[in-house]
Amino acid sequence: MPNEAASQEQSFLIDLLRATYQNQEIYPILQHNLSKLNENLALILRKWVSDRFAQEPAIAINLARVLIKLSTIIQEFEQGNPASNLEIAIAGYEAVLQVCTHEAFPKEWDIVKQALVIAYQQRQQILSRTIGELRDQTVQTQSQINTLTEQLQEELQQAKLQVKDLKTTIAQLQHEVSSSESTREITSLIAELQELKQRQIRVEQVTTTAHASPKIEQFNTAIFYDIENLTMGRSNPNLNFSLKQIQTNLENTSVVNKIAIQCAYADWSDSRLRLLKNEIQELGIEAIQIFDYSHKRNAADMQLAIDVMELAQSRPTLQVFVIVSGDGAFAALAKKLHEYGKTVIGCAYEGQINRVLKSVCDRFIPIPTPQAKIEEIPIHQVNSDSSLNDNILVVTKKTLQELKQNFEYLNQLKQGGIHIPQIHKILREKIPCFDQKREKHGEKLTNFLKKVIAGTDICLSIENNKLVLTEITIGSTGSSNNILKGVTDSSSNFKEIVVAGKS
């Protein structure tokens, strides 16, 4: 049964991890379980390790170090299926990168990265050999078809010559009919002529079939949805779009045959995204959870790019890759897919897609732009004794609030902020004699801006010298530092963890 088999493979995985942790000989265990070294074990490894990292973050680094050692052993194991062994090792290395960041664990991070580079190169070599073998088989099959076609054409030509000779003979006999015996001979010849005509028809049908190109629909398309880009941010997500309509528009294009894979990347723990649940399930889209503990906005983009490149190398039947996002960071990904001979389709809101990304895509399918929901924050009047009663302060505050009405500036404020030099340039363009009026306060630009944005939803990030929306900066570093400290200070016994996971 499938569930029983999966349970046995998970038990085998835990036994391997325990033996590795205890410095036992791993090769004898692998030799007695060659049938379990398959790609399904790689999938179970990814899921089990991800669950353990999430449930027991305190022992994550200890488990990661054991994984590095086990993945190295399996990568070098020469028995069994080399491709399956390599996929298991890659799954282990990639799982380790969930906790071993370059900043926190540079030594482990460097080891894993070097191992991954070698593993990816080995995978490419295996794929190249497989493609070469398939190409040779295709050439051999085509040669056989050509030979058969030539034979059929020769047979057809012979049949045509026989029909011509019979017609000539019948014409001669029709003039020489003088006895019943001649009549029977003519009847026999006519029957033979009809049989030859039927044979000619069958040969022509076979020849046509041999020349006809088989029209076989293939699952050649993978779609990747950047949900955060579709919702236009996290603080006030816009859900006024239809995934069904996006899919329908893609299916109507000539290059899309059948959709093989659909993945949607987002922090699905956000309760506001539950409205998309029914539509995602109905369309068969896989929801990829992104745990963005440090609020880095490119977490989903990085995972999406990794998955795309992995599929581009491991699934040669996938020829069309659809990126549903207007983020310009995906332009480099589209160029890399072109190097692999893939077709790239961009799909985003018209007017809100990065121009470079749109230019490198083979096709672009627009999505109707929703009505932007921008809450206006009024500029309140102040008392005569307030410092904001100064006209330049009021005008500057209003100008900064108006930046949120521009989609590009609003997106920058949400994603990471706008640099102070750029803010200075904007204010000088929109406010006549800005520097002269501001200098009357006798303060630096940063101190002046602090006074202007006091009490608004815009704040000044001293760390990177940018103006950002308040919602984006809450809890950016504290929690991540505590998590790293908890992982570093952990002294939990790994043996207890793997035994608990097995139960």
Side-chain angles (χ1 to χ4, degrees):
M1 298 177 62
N3 292 337
E4 182 178 353
S7 177
Q8 292 177 355
E9 290 178 345
Q10 181 170 313
S11 300
F12 172 59
L13 171 63
I14 295 174
D15 291 340
L16 283 177
L17 291 169
R18 182 189 294 109
T20 305
Y21 176 73
Q22 295 174 351
N23 293 322
Q24 298 179 12
E25 286 292 333
I26 304 301
Y27 282 166
I29 301 177
L30 298 177
Q31 290 169 351
H32 287 86
N33 295 274
L34 294 178
S35 62
K36 296 178 182 178
L37 297 177
N38 50 45
E39 294 187 3
N40 190 46
L41 182 63
L43 297 175
I44 292 176
L45 185 148
R46 290 180 188 275
K47 185 178 185 305
W48 186 86
V49 172
S50 179
D51 292 343
R52 300 309 301 170
F53 284 166
Q55 296 171 8
E56 300 290 342
I59 58 88
I61 186 58
N62 293 332
L63 177 57
R65 288 174 178 141
V66 175
L67 269 175
I68 295 174
K69 184 177 179 181
L70 176 59
S71 299
T72 303
I73 293 173
I74 294 179
Q75 183 180 1
E76 297 173 353
F77 187 57
E78 297 180 353
Q79 300 183 30
N81 188 323
S84 298
N85 297 345
L86 192 60
E87 290 303 321
I88 296 170
I90 289 175
Y93 292 139
E94 292 179 344
V96 168
L97 292 180
Q98 296 181 36
V99 294
C100 288
T101 63
H102 182 267
E103 294 78 10
F105 304 98
K107 179 180 178 181
E108 288 81 359
W109 184 89
D110 185 62
I111 292 173
V112 172
K113 279 296 184 180
Q114 292 180 8
L116 268 177
V117 169
I118 296 173
Y120 286 152
Q121 291 174 346
Q122 292 174 344
R123 175 199 275 167
Q124 185 63 38
Q125 292 172 359
I126 292 175
L127 287 174
S128 298
R129 287 198 300 269
T130 303
I131 292 173
E133 293 172 357
L134 290 174
R135 185 182 295 111
D136 293 340
Q137 293 176 3
T138 302
V139 171
Q140 183 177 0
T141 302
Q142 186 61 46
S143 177
Q144 293 174 352
I145 292 174
N146 293 337
T147 302
L148 178 59
T149 301
E150 292 176 357
Q151 293 175 352
L152 290 173
Q153 288 177 343
E154 291 177 359
E155 187 175 352
L156 176 60
Q157 188 65 28
Q158 292 176 1
K160 288 180 177 179
L161 292 174
Q162 291 177 1
V163 170
K164 184 178 180 181
D165 293 341
L166 284 172
K167 286 181 178 180
T168 303
T169 302
I170 290 173
Q172 293 175 354
L173 290 174
Q174 285 176 344
H175 294 288
E176 299 174 359
V177 175
S178 59
S179 64
S180 59
E181 184 176 350
S182 298
T183 303
R184 286 194 299 271
E185 185 177 355
I186 291 172
T187 304
S188 176
L189 289 172
I190 291 174
E192 187 176 351
L193 175 60
Q194 291 177 346
E195 182 181 353
L196 284 172
K197 285 185 176 180
Q198 293 296 327
R199 184 180 178 186
Q200 178 182 353
I201 292 173
R202 290 195 297 270
V203 171
E204 289 177 347
Q205 290 175 346
V206 173
T207 304
T208 303
T209 303
H211 281 290
S213 299
K215 296 182 179 179
I216 303 175
E217 290 190 345
Q218 296 182 349
F219 291 88
N220 70 332
T221 302
I223 306 176
F224 302 87
Y225 301 87
D226 183 357
I227 296 298
E228 189 170 329
N229 189 271
L230 284 175
T231 59
M232 303 170 74
R234 302 181 186 179
S235 60
N236 186 23
N238 163 66
L239 303 178
N240 187 23
F241 57 86
S242 171
L243 295 175
K244 175 64 175 177
Q245 187 60 48
I246 293 174
Q247 188 181 102
T248 300
N249 293 340
L250 289 169
E251 290 175 340
N252 290 334
T253 61
S254 59
V255 294
V256 174
N257 201 331
K258 281 189 175 182
I259 298 173
I261 297 174
Q262 295 188 85
C263 298
Y265 298 79
D267 182 3
W268 295 105
S269 61
D270 190 338
S271 59
R272 294 171 296 181
L273 299 182
R274 292 178 181 174
L275 296 175
L276 301 175
K277 179 179 179 181
N278 291 336
E279 189 175 17
I280 283 180
Q281 291 178 341
E282 178 184 351
L283 299 176
I285 299 174
E286 182 181 0
I288 305 299
Q289 172 65 37
I290 302 299
F291 294 99
D292 198 6
Y293 297 113
S294 61
H295 296 279
K296 294 180 180 178
R297 295 184 57 85
N298 61 349
D301 298 352
M302 293 174 62
Q303 187 61 50
L304 189 153
I306 291 172
D307 292 348
V308 167
M309 291 310 303
E310 181 178 359
L311 288 172
Q313 296 182 47
S314 62
R315 303 284 184 87
T317 56
L318 292 178
Q319 292 298 318
V320 181
F321 286 77
V322 182
I323 302 175
V324 184
S325 176
D327 194 336
F330 292 123
L333 177 62
K335 294 178 181 178
K336 180 59 67 174
L337 286 171
H338 284 161
E339 294 180 12
Y340 283 86
K342 308 299 183 182
T343 299
V344 182
I345 298 178
C347 186
Y349 297 122
E350 185 68 63
Q352 296 176 11
I353 184 174
N354 180 271
R355 290 179 296 177
V356 177
L357 173 60
K358 184 176 181 179
S359 66
V360 298
C361 288
D362 299 292
R363 296 195 182 187
F364 173 69
I365 298 178
I367 303 174
T369 304
Q371 184 69 28
K373 297 180 179 180
I374 303 176
E375 297 182 359
E376 294 291 343
I377 299 180
I379 306 297
H380 297 288
Q381 296 294 330
V382 296
N383 298 327
S384 58
D385 57 348
S386 170
S387 62
L388 285 181
N389 205 28
D390 190 334
N391 181 60
I392 186 60
L393 290 170
V394 175
V395 172
T396 303
K397 183 174 184 179
K398 181 178 180 181
T399 302
L400 292 178
Q401 292 296 329
E402 288 175 348
L403 293 180
K404 296 186 295 182
Q405 298 179 9
N406 182 291
F407 178 81
E408 181 178 354
Y409 290 146
L410 175 62
N411 200 30
Q412 291 183 37
L413 288 170
K414 287 182 177 181
Q415 289 188 350
I418 304 177
H419 287 285
I420 295 302
Q422 186 179 356
I423 291 292
H424 189 194
K425 180 180 179 182
I426 294 171
L427 293 175
R428 284 188 298 178
E429 291 176 351
K430 294 183 177 293
I431 304 175
C433 303
F434 169 74
D435 285 333
Q436 293 86 338
K437 295 177 181 179
R438 189 259 306 172
E439 288 174 355
K440 293 181 180 180
H441 292 266
E443 296 176 332
K444 294 183 178 179
L445 179 61
T446 53
N447 294 333
F448 174 78
L449 291 175
K450 287 181 182 179
K451 185 182 296 185
V452 170
I453 63 178
T456 70
D457 62 346
I458 299 177
C459 67
L460 176 63
S461 173
I462 301 300
E463 181 179 354
N464 51 18
N465 201 28
K466 295 180 179 180
L467 289 187
V468 297
L469 283 180
T470 306
E471 296 93 329
I472 304 302
T473 59
I474 294 177
S476 61
T477 58
S479 61
S480 61
N481 290 336
N482 290 335
I483 291 174
L484 291 175
K485 185 177 184 299
V487 172
T488 306
D489 295 343
S490 170
S491 61
S492 299
N493 193 313
F494 170 76
K495 183 177 181 180
E496 298 177 0
I497 296 304
V498 295
V499 173
K502 185 174 182 180
S503 61

